[in-house]
Amino acid sequence: MQKSPQAIDFALKETSPKIGAGSITGDKLSCTYDLVEQMQYLYVRVVKAKDLPGKDVTGSCDPYVEVKLGNYKGTTKHFEKKSNPEWNQCFAFSKDRIQASVLEVLVKDKDVVLDDLIGRVMFDLNEVPKRIPPDSPLAPQWYRLEDRKGDKVKTGELMLAVWMGTQADEAFPDAWHSDAATVSGEGVANIRSKVYLSPKLWYVRVNIIEAQDLLPSDKSRFPEVFVKAILGNQASRTRISPSKTINPMWNEDLMFVAAEPFEEPLILTVEDRVAPNKDEVLGKCLIPLQAVQRRLDHKPVNTRICLDGGYHVLDESTHYSSDLRPTAKQLWKPSIGILELGVLSAHGLTPMKTKDGRGTTDAYCVAKYGQKWVRTRTIVDSFGPRWNEQYTWEVFDPCTVITVGVFDNGHIHGQGGGGKDSRIGKIVSIRLNRAEPPLRKEVVEYMLDVDSHMWSMRRSKANFFRIMGVLSSLISVGKWFDQICNWKNPLTTILIHILFIILVLYPELILPTVFLYLFLIGIWNFRWRPRHPPHMDTRLSHAEAAHPDELDEEFDTFPTTKGSDIVRMRYDRLRSIAGRVQTVIGDLATQGERFQSLISWRDPRATTLFVTFCLIAAIVLYVTPFQVVALLAGIYVLRHPRFRHKLPSVPLNFFRRLPARSDSML
């Protein structure tokens, strides 16, 4: 069957990038950056200047450096009234976009009206040396400044280093890039690549035992006391003590999650419910977590508050877990290898925002495995960005998942952004949001899949068909057995009869036969084994057939921001779906209650018949060999259609007439 164009657009595609892995090139770059394509850059490091001549009336200058290559121009910061400035700033120009043969490095004096030229240095690109790591960095040199005529100025020198390199160069992450020449100011920090580490998460186990000698304000009533515990944005409470005295007891466990370094104390308050929706604080206690004992295994500790490090705190979906190690590093097993990831490029990205009347996308990648997060640099205004960055992780468990996401940078020009909060994910996102450049909260929560529990019509349909796919094999077996019982293929039915008789006479062959059958099925299915690596499947996700309103509902905020008409329509749709689910659940409950009614004497006649049948069956099975009973039952089930009736069997009719509690419901 021919796929639709949309399915082809989102299908898995094979690429053949020119990477160093597997190739014998003799290039040193292939040792460290062998999973990505080489990208050539012209690097210019402006270190400092000395003895710059004054251009102002006062004899001083406000110098800055302008690095110019064709239409691309990068500038350093300027210093006021300083003739020996130090910049130590690096510029990177992509070789693919170079349209000039000469590099100009100009030292200028910043002025109110027009900046004056102090001097310049010119470089022929054909003469620029090439550097490949792990060679040592190219040493900067002093260059005498020239005027526009090419004559040397009387005083003034500039220390520079100019070389051709690749993205493997140490200067690449912090350099100014010609690809992002339109970004300036604080936006520059938001487009650089960065490596982040998730905070170490601990379970805080609090056992509330009792309180003594409380002093309620109203001594004429029995106090209704409970304990409230607060840790950061997490809050939990015990039940109201059943003793209702001034010495209440609870013996309840409360669990929290805390991130190192511990910044907020655990706050315990004892409160009295004096009236509905009115509580009176009887006492308060602040416990700094730095002083709490740490537990590294399953053994109990004497303290009633502890930091439990023997378990892994799940900060991501269990389906996509990238780390299963406990919090305590003493319990970690040795790593089993190194995971290397090369982020090459993306193609066909859609416009995510509008700039100057046209659609644009500023894309970057985020990859998460274990506690380590990486963020590539942002490629400005491109629907086919090329990152070609490589990262590594230590692997401790092969049954883990690495998550890679592509995002549009909406903070290049200082725009704000928001996202949904989550209990454990919020902890992680707040800490990562403090880094520079920050890993935004909405990015962290998307990577951790904190909204997976939210309602989605598309996801519900996909999960339903996933369940049907799992049950399809059982349904196929049922259809096949029905064909056997109805003698659709007499030869196959006769062979099944013979096999059944052999297994009844020699029951020790049952398990070997089952495993042999599963082995043959596995060998047969080898022909249809997956030929491609796991990938996002739009057809499995029902993304191709999703209605626009269903997608709008899925990406809506919580609580919703939509109008009342749309909310009413979605509510009615959800009611109709819930009605069907309610009917199915009611039918399942009815069948279960019919089984219970067999011995509950709700229908005396039915229970009498059933217990009489059980007594007779017990006597018959006690005196008759089990093999004879199994043989007779099997032959009866596999009997020829000539000996069958089209009407339902007597046991089935009997079961369907059993009472259920559905007739007692309103």
Side-chain angles (χ1 to χ4, degrees), residues 271-289:
E271 302 184 14
D272 182 16
R273 177 66 53 82
V274 295
N277 301 323
K278 184 179 180 181
D279 302 323
E280 179 186 44
V281 177
L282 303 180
K284 187 175 183 179
C285 176
L286 273 70
I287 303 175
L289 295 183

Side-chain angles (χ1 to χ4, degrees), residues 117-133:
L117 176 66
I118 298 176
R120 66 178 182 177
V121 181
M122 309 282 287
F123 294 91
D124 186 351
L125 297 187
N126 295 324
E127 303 298 329
V128 174
K130 185 176 182 181
R131 181 202 171 227
I132 301 176

Side-chain angles (χ1 to χ4, degrees), residues 175-477:
W176 173 93
H177 289 271
S178 60
D179 298 341
T182 58
V183 182
S184 60
E186 296 180 357
V188 175
N190 288 320
I191 65 172
R192 289 176 175 167
S193 58
K194 217 64 169 178
V195 176
Y196 307 84
L197 290 178
S198 298
K200 182 184 288 188
L201 302 180
W202 291 80
Y203 280 122
V204 181
R205 191 187 300 271
V206 183
N207 181 232
I208 309 295
I209 305 175
E210 61 178 340
Q212 294 181 350
D213 302 330
L214 299 178
L215 297 175
S217 59
D218 185 4
K219 296 182 174 56
S220 62
R221 53 179 290 275
F222 294 107
E224 299 180 4
V225 185
F226 63 91
V227 177
K228 180 187 294 184
I230 300 176
L231 180 61
N233 67 320
Q234 306 168 80
S236 184
R237 49 160 288 182
T238 67
R239 70 186 191 281
I240 295 177
S241 176
S243 59
K244 295 187 178 182
T245 64
I246 60 173
N247 299 312
M249 297 187 65
W250 295 277
N251 196 22
E252 290 188 34
D253 276 337
L254 304 179
M255 293 287 290
F256 300 93
V257 174
E260 280 190 313
F262 305 124
E263 299 176 348
E264 297 170 326
L266 175 65
I267 303 174
L268 300 177
T269 58
V270 181
E271 302 184 14
D272 182 16
R273 177 66 53 82
V274 295
N277 301 323
K278 184 179 180 181
D279 302 323
E280 179 186 44
V281 177
L282 303 180
K284 187 175 183 179
C285 176
L286 273 70
I287 303 175
L289 295 183
Q290 293 86 342
V292 174
Q293 183 177 351
R294 303 189 179 192
R295 191 174 79 170
L296 305 183
D297 52 26
H298 63 280
K299 297 178 182 178
V301 294
N302 295 327
T303 182
R304 290 301 186 174
I305 300 178
C306 68
L307 294 170
D308 204 334
Y311 303 92
H312 174 70
V313 181
L314 285 173
D315 60 348
E316 55 193 342
S317 173
T318 55
H319 304 293
Y320 317 115
S321 293
S322 62
D323 191 6
L324 302 174
R325 294 172 294 170
T327 301
K329 197 170 184 178
Q330 298 91 323
L331 303 179
W332 290 4
K333 296 180 180 179
S335 63
I336 61 174
I338 298 294
L339 168 67
E340 294 186 90
L341 172 68
V343 183
L344 300 179
S345 60
H347 301 281
L349 298 184
T350 57
M352 301 300 294
K353 54 181 176 286
T354 303
K355 181 181 178 183
D356 299 330
R358 63 181 182 85
T360 181
T361 296
D362 306 319
Y364 67 93
C365 270
V366 174
K368 194 260 183 190
Y369 184 80
Q371 292 182 323
K372 182 178 177 180
W373 299 64
V374 299
R375 164 181 167 161
T376 67
R377 71 190 190 283
T378 299
I379 306 299
V380 179
D381 194 13
S382 175
F383 299 134
R386 297 174 61 218
W387 295 285
N388 285 305
E389 299 182 24
Q390 186 168 333
Y391 301 93
T392 59
W393 286 266
E394 277 191 297
V395 179
F396 295 85
D397 191 331
C399 299
T400 47
V401 177
I402 182 172
T403 303
V404 183
V406 181
F407 300 90
D408 174 63
N409 196 331
H411 304 274
I412 291 181
H413 305 289
Q415 300 101 316
K420 306 180 184 67
D421 291 337
S422 177
R423 286 172 292 181
I424 296 179
K426 188 173 189 295
I427 294 175
V428 177
S429 62
I430 287 178
R431 293 299 178 90
L432 295 179
N433 201 32
R434 295 180 183 176
E436 187 61 39
L439 197 58
R440 302 289 174 180
K441 183 160 69 71
E442 56 269 24
V443 174
V444 175
E445 293 186 350
Y446 179 79
M447 295 288 289
L448 296 180
D449 204 19
V450 299
D451 292 332
S452 60
H453 63 283
M454 301 297 290
W455 164 256
S456 168
M457 177 72 76
R458 174 194 60 81
R459 196 180 293 122
S460 300
K461 292 179 181 177
N463 289 334
F464 172 77
F465 284 102
R466 286 175 59 200
I467 293 176
M468 295 304 297
V470 172
L471 298 178
S472 62
S473 57
L474 297 178
I475 296 174
S476 300
V477 171

